[in-house]
Amino acid sequence: QVQLVESGGGLVQAGGSLRLSCATSGRTFSNYAMAWFRQAPGKEREFVSAISSSGRSTYYVDSLKGRFTISRDNPKNTVYLQMNSLKPEDTAAYYCAASPRSLTTRDYYLGSTYDYWGQGTQVTVSS
């Protein structure tokens, strides 16, 4: 079993930045592919970004490329999401997810890929 705990959300003005963290425990973090998803009120959950277990491969939804950066620190069992130039439409609950499996590129983008999820952290961007 893997426990995921997100932090770093909050209220920020448009154009500002936040860094989300997802701390994990329970199993060998370096064996897990990690991802961030988000869900805005009244909308479906959507993929934001993912990173391979080694950290060598990263994946982003096209609309966020250049503003968001995913990274991981395996010795600290933590994955990060740096979010810059935030917009009101980035307002959502952000969720961290983990998968221990070997994934194809397509797999990284799918919520069904991930076996473990955090409780989420709220990001609110004011205009």
PDB file of all heavy atoms in Angstrom, residues 36 38 46-50 58-68 109:
ATOM      1  N   TRP A  36       0.065  13.927 -11.847  1.00  0.00           N
ATOM      2  CA  TRP A  36      -0.848  14.923 -11.293  1.00  0.00           C
ATOM      3  C   TRP A  36      -2.073  15.019 -12.195  1.00  0.00           C
ATOM      4  O   TRP A  36      -1.947  15.091 -13.416  1.00  0.00           O
ATOM      5  CB  TRP A  36      -0.187  16.296 -11.203  1.00  0.00           C
ATOM      6  CG  TRP A  36       0.879  16.406 -10.169  1.00  0.00           C
ATOM      7  CD1 TRP A  36       2.226  16.235 -10.343  1.00  0.00           C
ATOM      8  CD2 TRP A  36       0.693  16.707  -8.785  1.00  0.00           C
ATOM      9  NE1 TRP A  36       2.889  16.421  -9.152  1.00  0.00           N
ATOM     10  CE2 TRP A  36       1.963  16.709  -8.185  1.00  0.00           C
ATOM     11  CE3 TRP A  36      -0.426  16.976  -7.992  1.00  0.00           C
ATOM     12  CZ2 TRP A  36       2.153  16.968  -6.821  1.00  0.00           C
ATOM     13  CZ3 TRP A  36      -0.241  17.237  -6.649  1.00  0.00           C
ATOM     14  CH2 TRP A  36       1.033  17.229  -6.073  1.00  0.00           C
ATOM     15  N   ARG A  38      -6.156  17.003 -12.148  1.00  0.00           N
ATOM     16  CA  ARG A  38      -6.910  18.058 -11.479  1.00  0.00           C
ATOM     17  C   ARG A  38      -8.383  17.940 -11.833  1.00  0.00           C
ATOM     18  O   ARG A  38      -8.749  17.371 -12.861  1.00  0.00           O
ATOM     19  CB  ARG A  38      -6.380  19.441 -11.856  1.00  0.00           C
ATOM     20  CG  ARG A  38      -6.611  19.852 -13.295  1.00  0.00           C
ATOM     21  CD  ARG A  38      -5.939  21.194 -13.569  1.00  0.00           C
ATOM     22  NE  ARG A  38      -6.204  21.665 -14.919  1.00  0.00           N
ATOM     23  CZ  ARG A  38      -5.701  22.780 -15.429  1.00  0.00           C
ATOM     24  NH1 ARG A  38      -4.876  23.551 -14.703  1.00  0.00           N
ATOM     25  NH2 ARG A  38      -5.998  23.143 -16.660  1.00  0.00           N
ATOM     26  N   GLU A  46      -9.034  15.743 -15.057  1.00  0.00           N
ATOM     27  CA  GLU A  46      -8.205  15.779 -16.251  1.00  0.00           C
ATOM     28  C   GLU A  46      -6.731  15.577 -15.898  1.00  0.00           C
ATOM     29  O   GLU A  46      -6.269  15.980 -14.829  1.00  0.00           O
ATOM     30  CB  GLU A  46      -8.366  17.093 -17.018  1.00  0.00           C
ATOM     31  CG  GLU A  46      -7.911  18.336 -16.280  1.00  0.00           C
ATOM     32  CD  GLU A  46      -7.919  19.583 -17.169  1.00  0.00           C
ATOM     33  OE1 GLU A  46      -8.028  19.454 -18.406  1.00  0.00           O
ATOM     34  OE2 GLU A  46      -7.800  20.683 -16.601  1.00  0.00           O
ATOM     35  N   PHE A  47      -6.034  14.979 -16.811  1.00  0.00           N
ATOM     36  CA  PHE A  47      -4.598  14.757 -16.680  1.00  0.00           C
ATOM     37  C   PHE A  47      -3.860  16.086 -16.762  1.00  0.00           C
ATOM     38  O   PHE A  47      -4.198  16.947 -17.576  1.00  0.00           O
ATOM     39  CB  PHE A  47      -4.127  13.835 -17.801  1.00  0.00           C
ATOM     40  CG  PHE A  47      -2.639  13.685 -17.885  1.00  0.00           C
ATOM     41  CD1 PHE A  47      -1.964  12.817 -17.055  1.00  0.00           C
ATOM     42  CD2 PHE A  47      -1.920  14.422 -18.822  1.00  0.00           C
ATOM     43  CE1 PHE A  47      -0.585  12.677 -17.147  1.00  0.00           C
ATOM     44  CE2 PHE A  47      -0.541  14.283 -18.927  1.00  0.00           C
ATOM     45  CZ  PHE A  47       0.122  13.413 -18.083  1.00  0.00           C
ATOM     46  N   VAL A  48      -2.855  16.239 -15.913  1.00  0.00           N
ATOM     47  CA  VAL A  48      -2.016  17.432 -15.938  1.00  0.00           C
ATOM     48  C   VAL A  48      -0.602  17.084 -16.388  1.00  0.00           C
ATOM     49  O   VAL A  48      -0.089  17.637 -17.353  1.00  0.00           O
ATOM     50  CB  VAL A  48      -1.970  18.102 -14.548  1.00  0.00           C
ATOM     51  CG1 VAL A  48      -0.960  19.244 -14.528  1.00  0.00           C
ATOM     52  CG2 VAL A  48      -3.353  18.584 -14.148  1.00  0.00           C
ATOM     53  N   SER A  49       0.012  16.145 -15.676  1.00  0.00           N
ATOM     54  CA  SER A  49       1.404  15.832 -15.960  1.00  0.00           C
ATOM     55  C   SER A  49       1.758  14.502 -15.308  1.00  0.00           C
ATOM     56  O   SER A  49       1.098  14.070 -14.356  1.00  0.00           O
ATOM     57  CB  SER A  49       2.314  16.939 -15.403  1.00  0.00           C
ATOM     58  OG  SER A  49       3.666  16.697 -15.713  1.00  0.00           O
ATOM     59  N   ALA A  50       2.814  13.862 -15.833  1.00  0.00           N
ATOM     60  CA  ALA A  50       3.294  12.608 -15.261  1.00  0.00           C
ATOM     61  C   ALA A  50       4.799  12.512 -15.429  1.00  0.00           C
ATOM     62  O   ALA A  50       5.389  13.192 -16.275  1.00  0.00           O
ATOM     63  CB  ALA A  50       2.608  11.411 -15.910  1.00  0.00           C
ATOM     64  N   THR A  58       9.008  12.755 -18.940  1.00  0.00           N
ATOM     65  CA  THR A  58       7.916  13.553 -18.398  1.00  0.00           C
ATOM     66  C   THR A  58       6.852  13.752 -19.470  1.00  0.00           C
ATOM     67  O   THR A  58       7.149  13.725 -20.677  1.00  0.00           O
ATOM     68  CB  THR A  58       8.405  14.919 -17.896  1.00  0.00           C
ATOM     69  OG1 THR A  58       9.049  15.612 -18.966  1.00  0.00           O
ATOM     70  CG2 THR A  58       9.369  14.761 -16.732  1.00  0.00           C
ATOM     71  N   TYR A  59       5.634  13.971 -19.029  1.00  0.00           N
ATOM     72  CA  TYR A  59       4.493  14.072 -19.927  1.00  0.00           C
ATOM     73  C   TYR A  59       3.608  15.212 -19.434  1.00  0.00           C
ATOM     74  O   TYR A  59       3.423  15.387 -18.228  1.00  0.00           O
ATOM     75  CB  TYR A  59       3.707  12.764 -19.933  1.00  0.00           C
ATOM     76  CG  TYR A  59       4.570  11.562 -20.226  1.00  0.00           C
ATOM     77  CD1 TYR A  59       5.236  10.891 -19.215  1.00  0.00           C
ATOM     78  CD2 TYR A  59       4.737  11.118 -21.534  1.00  0.00           C
ATOM     79  CE1 TYR A  59       6.062   9.813 -19.479  1.00  0.00           C
ATOM     80  CE2 TYR A  59       5.553  10.023 -21.814  1.00  0.00           C
ATOM     81  CZ  TYR A  59       6.211   9.383 -20.783  1.00  0.00           C
ATOM     82  OH  TYR A  59       7.022   8.318 -21.051  1.00  0.00           O
ATOM     83  N   TYR A  60       3.055  15.949 -20.376  1.00  0.00           N
ATOM     84  CA  TYR A  60       2.195  17.083 -20.039  1.00  0.00           C
ATOM     85  C   TYR A  60       1.000  17.135 -20.982  1.00  0.00           C
ATOM     86  O   TYR A  60       1.111  16.786 -22.155  1.00  0.00           O
ATOM     87  CB  TYR A  60       2.963  18.401 -20.181  1.00  0.00           C
ATOM     88  CG  TYR A  60       4.142  18.534 -19.261  1.00  0.00           C
ATOM     89  CD1 TYR A  60       5.411  18.129 -19.666  1.00  0.00           C
ATOM     90  CD2 TYR A  60       3.989  19.065 -17.989  1.00  0.00           C
ATOM     91  CE1 TYR A  60       6.506  18.244 -18.813  1.00  0.00           C
ATOM     92  CE2 TYR A  60       5.073  19.188 -17.132  1.00  0.00           C
ATOM     93  CZ  TYR A  60       6.319  18.775 -17.551  1.00  0.00           C
ATOM     94  OH  TYR A  60       7.392  18.898 -16.705  1.00  0.00           O
ATOM     95  N   VAL A  61      -0.098  17.638 -20.466  1.00  0.00           N
ATOM     96  CA  VAL A  61      -1.185  17.987 -21.365  1.00  0.00           C
ATOM     97  C   VAL A  61      -0.708  19.187 -22.166  1.00  0.00           C
ATOM     98  O   VAL A  61      -0.043  20.084 -21.639  1.00  0.00           O
ATOM     99  CB  VAL A  61      -2.479  18.275 -20.573  1.00  0.00           C
ATOM    100  CG1 VAL A  61      -2.334  19.477 -19.656  1.00  0.00           C
ATOM    101  CG2 VAL A  61      -3.655  18.449 -21.508  1.00  0.00           C
ATOM    102  N   ASP A  62      -1.011  19.207 -23.427  1.00  0.00           N
ATOM    103  CA  ASP A  62      -0.450  20.209 -24.334  1.00  0.00           C
ATOM    104  C   ASP A  62      -0.734  21.635 -23.867  1.00  0.00           C
ATOM    105  O   ASP A  62       0.120  22.518 -23.986  1.00  0.00           O
ATOM    106  CB  ASP A  62      -1.001  20.020 -25.745  1.00  0.00           C
ATOM    107  CG  ASP A  62      -0.403  18.821 -26.444  1.00  0.00           C
ATOM    108  OD1 ASP A  62       0.622  18.301 -25.959  1.00  0.00           O
ATOM    109  OD2 ASP A  62      -0.967  18.392 -27.463  1.00  0.00           O
ATOM    110  N   SER A  63      -1.905  21.866 -23.322  1.00  0.00           N
ATOM    111  CA  SER A  63      -2.306  23.223 -22.964  1.00  0.00           C
ATOM    112  C   SER A  63      -1.486  23.796 -21.801  1.00  0.00           C
ATOM    113  O   SER A  63      -1.506  25.006 -21.586  1.00  0.00           O
ATOM    114  CB  SER A  63      -3.788  23.247 -22.603  1.00  0.00           C
ATOM    115  OG  SER A  63      -4.042  22.404 -21.497  1.00  0.00           O
ATOM    116  N   LEU A  64      -0.780  22.936 -21.073  1.00  0.00           N
ATOM    117  CA  LEU A  64      -0.028  23.409 -19.905  1.00  0.00           C
ATOM    118  C   LEU A  64       1.481  23.401 -20.115  1.00  0.00           C
ATOM    119  O   LEU A  64       2.230  23.849 -19.245  1.00  0.00           O
ATOM    120  CB  LEU A  64      -0.366  22.542 -18.694  1.00  0.00           C
ATOM    121  CG  LEU A  64      -1.820  22.602 -18.236  1.00  0.00           C
ATOM    122  CD1 LEU A  64      -2.042  21.648 -17.079  1.00  0.00           C
ATOM    123  CD2 LEU A  64      -2.217  24.013 -17.857  1.00  0.00           C
ATOM    124  N   LYS A  65       1.912  22.888 -21.234  1.00  0.00           N
ATOM    125  CA  LYS A  65       3.349  22.862 -21.509  1.00  0.00           C
ATOM    126  C   LYS A  65       3.918  24.272 -21.462  1.00  0.00           C
ATOM    127  O   LYS A  65       3.341  25.204 -21.999  1.00  0.00           O
ATOM    128  CB  LYS A  65       3.608  22.240 -22.879  1.00  0.00           C
ATOM    129  CG  LYS A  65       3.484  20.735 -22.909  1.00  0.00           C
ATOM    130  CD  LYS A  65       3.802  20.195 -24.292  1.00  0.00           C
ATOM    131  CE  LYS A  65       3.653  18.700 -24.341  1.00  0.00           C
ATOM    132  NZ  LYS A  65       3.897  18.161 -25.700  1.00  0.00           N
ATOM    133  N   GLY A  66       5.049  24.393 -20.805  1.00  0.00           N
ATOM    134  CA  GLY A  66       5.693  25.693 -20.697  1.00  0.00           C
ATOM    135  C   GLY A  66       5.331  26.449 -19.439  1.00  0.00           C
ATOM    136  O   GLY A  66       6.076  27.339 -19.018  1.00  0.00           O
ATOM    137  N   ARG A  67       4.220  26.099 -18.810  1.00  0.00           N
ATOM    138  CA  ARG A  67       3.840  26.763 -17.560  1.00  0.00           C
ATOM    139  C   ARG A  67       4.032  25.856 -16.350  1.00  0.00           C
ATOM    140  O   ARG A  67       4.353  26.336 -15.264  1.00  0.00           O
ATOM    141  CB  ARG A  67       2.388  27.236 -17.606  1.00  0.00           C
ATOM    142  CG  ARG A  67       2.120  28.342 -18.590  1.00  0.00           C
ATOM    143  CD  ARG A  67       0.802  29.036 -18.282  1.00  0.00           C
ATOM    144  NE  ARG A  67      -0.350  28.174 -18.377  1.00  0.00           N
ATOM    145  CZ  ARG A  67      -1.212  27.954 -17.387  1.00  0.00           C
ATOM    146  NH1 ARG A  67      -1.043  28.528 -16.203  1.00  0.00           N
ATOM    147  NH2 ARG A  67      -2.272  27.167 -17.573  1.00  0.00           N
ATOM    148  N   PHE A  68       3.803  24.563 -16.531  1.00  0.00           N
ATOM    149  CA  PHE A  68       3.906  23.607 -15.430  1.00  0.00           C
ATOM    150  C   PHE A  68       5.118  22.709 -15.646  1.00  0.00           C
ATOM    151  O   PHE A  68       5.405  22.324 -16.780  1.00  0.00           O
ATOM    152  CB  PHE A  68       2.648  22.745 -15.365  1.00  0.00           C
ATOM    153  CG  PHE A  68       1.413  23.448 -14.859  1.00  0.00           C
ATOM    154  CD1 PHE A  68       1.325  24.824 -14.801  1.00  0.00           C
ATOM    155  CD2 PHE A  68       0.319  22.702 -14.429  1.00  0.00           C
ATOM    156  CE1 PHE A  68       0.189  25.461 -14.341  1.00  0.00           C
ATOM    157  CE2 PHE A  68      -0.830  23.309 -13.963  1.00  0.00           C
ATOM    158  CZ  PHE A  68      -0.907  24.690 -13.925  1.00  0.00           C
ATOM    159  N   TYR A 109      -1.255   9.033 -19.452  1.00  0.00           N
ATOM    160  CA  TYR A 109      -2.285  10.062 -19.546  1.00  0.00           C
ATOM    161  C   TYR A 109      -3.644   9.623 -18.985  1.00  0.00           C
ATOM    162  O   TYR A 109      -4.559  10.438 -18.893  1.00  0.00           O
ATOM    163  CB  TYR A 109      -2.467  10.477 -21.007  1.00  0.00           C
ATOM    164  CG  TYR A 109      -1.274  11.181 -21.590  1.00  0.00           C
ATOM    165  CD1 TYR A 109      -0.181  10.466 -22.083  1.00  0.00           C
ATOM    166  CD2 TYR A 109      -1.229  12.572 -21.659  1.00  0.00           C
ATOM    167  CE1 TYR A 109       0.924  11.117 -22.617  1.00  0.00           C
ATOM    168  CE2 TYR A 109      -0.131  13.237 -22.203  1.00  0.00           C
ATOM    169  CZ  TYR A 109       0.937  12.499 -22.679  1.00  0.00           C
ATOM    170  OH  TYR A 109       2.015  13.154 -23.214  1.00  0.00           O
TER     171      TYR A 109
END
